[in-house]
Amino acid sequence: MIYLQPKETIMFRRSFLLLGSAALVTTLTPWPAALAQSAAQSEADRIAAALTPRKRRGGGIEIPDQKSLDVVERLKGVRQKRGLSHREQDELHVATATMPQTDLEIYFAFNSADIDAKALPTLNSLGEALNRDDLKANTIVIGGHTDRKGGAAFNQSLSDRRAQAVASYLASTHKIDAGRILASGYGFRKLKQPKQPFAEANRRVQIVHAAK
């Protein structure tokens, strides 16, 4: 029989505790990643649900009228050659008003179209949603919006560049066909909260599904 001295007993207990702690850490380490993945999946599900046409009570799904779809397709062709005029932006805004859509808070560097790292989880959830079978065949309209702070020309340019930055990210990172994306800025001409022109809610990226 081996007798442990008091010092040896203490060392044995410490070793046991350390081994137990290591096992606990090993067991718990995957959880943060799993939680992040679950959150991203939930966000992708939410975006996909917002962009999915609603079902009619009598059956079938709600789809935009053909005239509105034609406007989007025509302006998509124009946008591939040049920026949209204010009149064309107004036309696009009216045509997409009743289409499935959602507003996303995308972080950019201050007064810049450089996408902030904090925005990547949201953009990746958006990319996943747009690649789903029931969404990947149709045109997506990306609208950039600012609040009322600053001049009209600056905000128009900034919102346009930010919308284009989102489109480029989706095309390069998530392999979404750039030909099915219509990206345009509205500046502060289409405020979400017109009675509160400086509200944070006005600074957004609008995603519209031109469902057929």
Side-chain angles (χ1 to χ4, degrees):
M1 181 177 295
I2 299 174
Y3 293 93
L4 294 174
Q5 297 299 320
K7 184 175 181 181
E8 292 174 317
T9 303
I10 293 172
M11 292 296 292
F12 177 78
R13 288 176 179 172
R14 285 180 178 173
S15 298
F16 178 78
L17 289 172
L18 287 172
L19 286 170
S21 298
L24 183 61
V25 170
T26 301
T27 302
L28 294 180
T29 297
W31 278 102
L35 290 173
Q37 183 177 5
S38 177
Q41 185 65 42
S42 297
E43 179 66 358
D45 289 341
R46 185 197 68 77
I47 293 172
L51 298 179
T52 299
R54 294 173 295 182
K55 293 183 179 180
R56 295 193 181 99
R57 288 186 177 180
I61 60 172
E62 295 181 356
I63 59 174
D65 62 272
Q66 190 59 49
K67 181 179 178 181
S68 296
L69 292 171
D70 290 343
V71 168
V72 171
E73 288 304 306
R74 175 170 56 80
L75 293 179
K76 185 171 65 172
V78 172
R79 188 66 182 93
Q80 291 170 353
K81 301 175 182 178
R82 60 171 174 80
L84 301 183
S85 67
H86 283 179
R87 181 185 62 79
E88 290 166 334
Q89 291 169 11
D90 291 342
E91 195 176 4
L92 180 63
H93 191 261
V94 170
T96 58
T98 60
M99 294 180 182
Q101 57 191 275
T102 187
D103 289 335
L104 300 178
E105 185 177 18
I106 305 296
Y107 297 97
F108 296 90
F110 181 68
N111 283 349
S112 168
D114 293 336
I115 296 173
D116 192 284
K118 292 186 297 183
L120 297 185
T122 299
L123 287 176
N124 290 334
S125 294
L126 173 61
E128 180 187 333
L130 295 181
N131 272 320
R132 295 186 179 183
D133 290 341
D134 52 348
L135 294 176
K136 65 182 182 181
N138 298 328
T139 295
I140 298 298
V141 179
I142 301 176
H145 298 265
T146 68
D147 62 19
R148 186 61 180 79
K149 185 177 181 180
F154 175 80
N155 278 284
Q156 176 60 49
S157 174
L158 180 64
S159 65
D160 195 69
R161 288 185 289 116
R162 285 180 170 178
Q164 290 293 332
V166 171
S168 296
Y169 182 87
L170 293 173
S172 62
T173 304
H174 292 276
K175 309 306 177 185
I176 294 174
D177 182 7
R180 59 181 279 240
I181 299 176
L182 167 53
S184 181
Y186 291 96
F188 52 64
R189 298 178 58 250
K190 307 296 179 185
L191 296 175
K192 188 172 184 177
Q193 296 183 359
K195 292 184 178 180
Q196 296 179 298
F198 303 108
E200 184 176 344
N202 292 313
R203 302 191 296 273
R204 67 198 193 281
V205 174
Q206 181 184 28
I207 310 297
V208 181
H209 176 204
K212 293 182 181 178

